[in-house]
Amino acid sequence: MKIYRDHAWPSTLEEAIVIQENLQYQVITEDQLQEPIEYVAGVDMGFEADGTISRAAVAVLSFPDLQVIETSLARRPTSFPYIPGFLSFREIPAVLDALEKIKTIPDIILCDGQGIAHPRRLGIATHLGLLIDMPTIGVAKSLLVGKHGELPETKGSQQPLIYKGETIGAVLRSRTGVKPLYISSGHRISLPTAIDYVLRCTTKYRLPETTRIADKLASAK
């Protein structure tokens, strides 16, 4: 898979903030999908050697039957510290390495992390989507910013995620009685469409199959 663009990777927090502030204005939160959707992918990260080695996993699945078509792994030295709100700078270099290995090009990528549900609207899903010019969705397991109303326990229940008066995502119950997911547009996809595809990629587990399989690959010993 060809990487569309890249930028100088920061060595300081100040440099990372400047990159986020510049890139946020290039984000597209409207649907720009190449339909029909035939392949969906999940990306996730793990770390080895006390965090000094980044391990990225990509899983490409057929859609809508969600059969694994291709997977890839990539490792590289970790070059940016763990700082909430700046995880993309720590994780994306290895993710790009893993994506370059795959031959089946996905139509949508679901990321284990935030999209625009981020203080500067540039979580890992958004950052990645801009770099590869591809529709991406943030599927986070925890809340970074924003508030929401009470969420019913039934599968499919959702509430808007509000930050500074703006809807930046949704809190989604992907399975009855389990902890919710935090869904947001990454790039080139609207929030309603993002929620729809997350649900269509979710079977009997909390996580959609894309990120669930990528998570297992990224964390496997």
Side-chain angles (χ1 to χ4, degrees):
M1 176 176 169
K2 182 180 178 181
I3 303 306
Y4 172 69
R5 60 187 288 192
D6 207 343
H7 57 67
W9 289 89
S11 57
T12 67
L13 184 59
E14 291 74 19
E15 291 172 351
I17 291 172
V18 170
I19 291 171
Q20 288 184 339
E21 289 177 342
N22 289 336
L23 289 180
Q24 66 175 304
Y25 300 107
Q26 302 174 33
V27 179
I28 297 169
T29 55
E30 298 175 352
D31 292 330
Q32 292 188 358
L33 308 175
Q34 296 292 328
E35 296 183 304
I37 303 301
E38 296 182 333
Y39 301 103
V40 290
V43 300
D44 202 355
M45 285 292 302
F47 293 90
E48 302 173 355
D50 294 324
T52 61
I53 301 297
S54 300
R55 172 175 169 153
V58 176
V60 182
L61 281 63
S62 57
F63 185 85
D65 57 335
L66 304 177
Q67 300 300 304
V68 177
I69 301 298
E70 186 179 357
T71 64
S72 71
L73 279 173
R75 294 176 175 86
R76 67 153 58 200
T78 305
S79 58
F80 200 82
Y82 174 85
I83 306 173
F86 297 89
L87 298 186
S88 65
F89 297 103
R90 180 177 172 88
E91 299 181 355
I92 282 182
V95 169
L96 294 177
D97 290 346
L99 285 170
E100 285 186 318
K101 293 183 176 182
I102 63 173
K103 295 181 173 63
T104 307
I105 307 304
D107 301 296
I108 302 174
I109 296 180
L110 286 73
C111 301
D112 179 29
Q114 310 290 346
I116 67 165
H118 180 278
R120 286 166 297 282
R121 307 296 189 268
L122 209 84
I124 186 170
T126 303
H127 197 165
L128 179 64
L130 285 167
L131 291 178
I132 62 176
D133 191 29
M134 184 172 290
T136 52
I137 302 171
V139 185
K141 297 188 286 288
S142 60
L143 178 68
L144 180 60
V145 293
K147 296 183 178 180
H148 60 87
E150 186 175 350
L151 189 67
E153 291 290 323
T154 54
K155 178 178 179 177
S157 299
Q158 56 186 274
Q159 286 284 349
L161 183 61
I162 308 297
Y163 181 64
K164 294 184 176 179
E166 179 185 351
T167 298
I168 58 170
V171 188
L172 175 69
R173 191 82 68 187
S174 58
R175 186 182 177 196
T176 299
V178 302
K179 292 180 180 179
L181 298 173
Y182 299 86
I183 312 302
S184 57
S185 302
H187 182 53
R188 288 179 49 186
I189 196 164
S190 67
L191 180 59
T193 302
I195 294 169
D196 178 51
Y197 277 103
V198 169
L199 286 172
R200 292 169 73 182
C201 290
T202 303
T203 56
K204 58 183 179 179
Y205 300 99
R206 178 192 179 205
L207 294 177
E209 288 297 282
T210 44
T211 45
R212 187 183 73 83
I213 293 169
D215 173 77
K216 289 178 66 176
L217 291 168
S219 58
K221 301 299 183 183

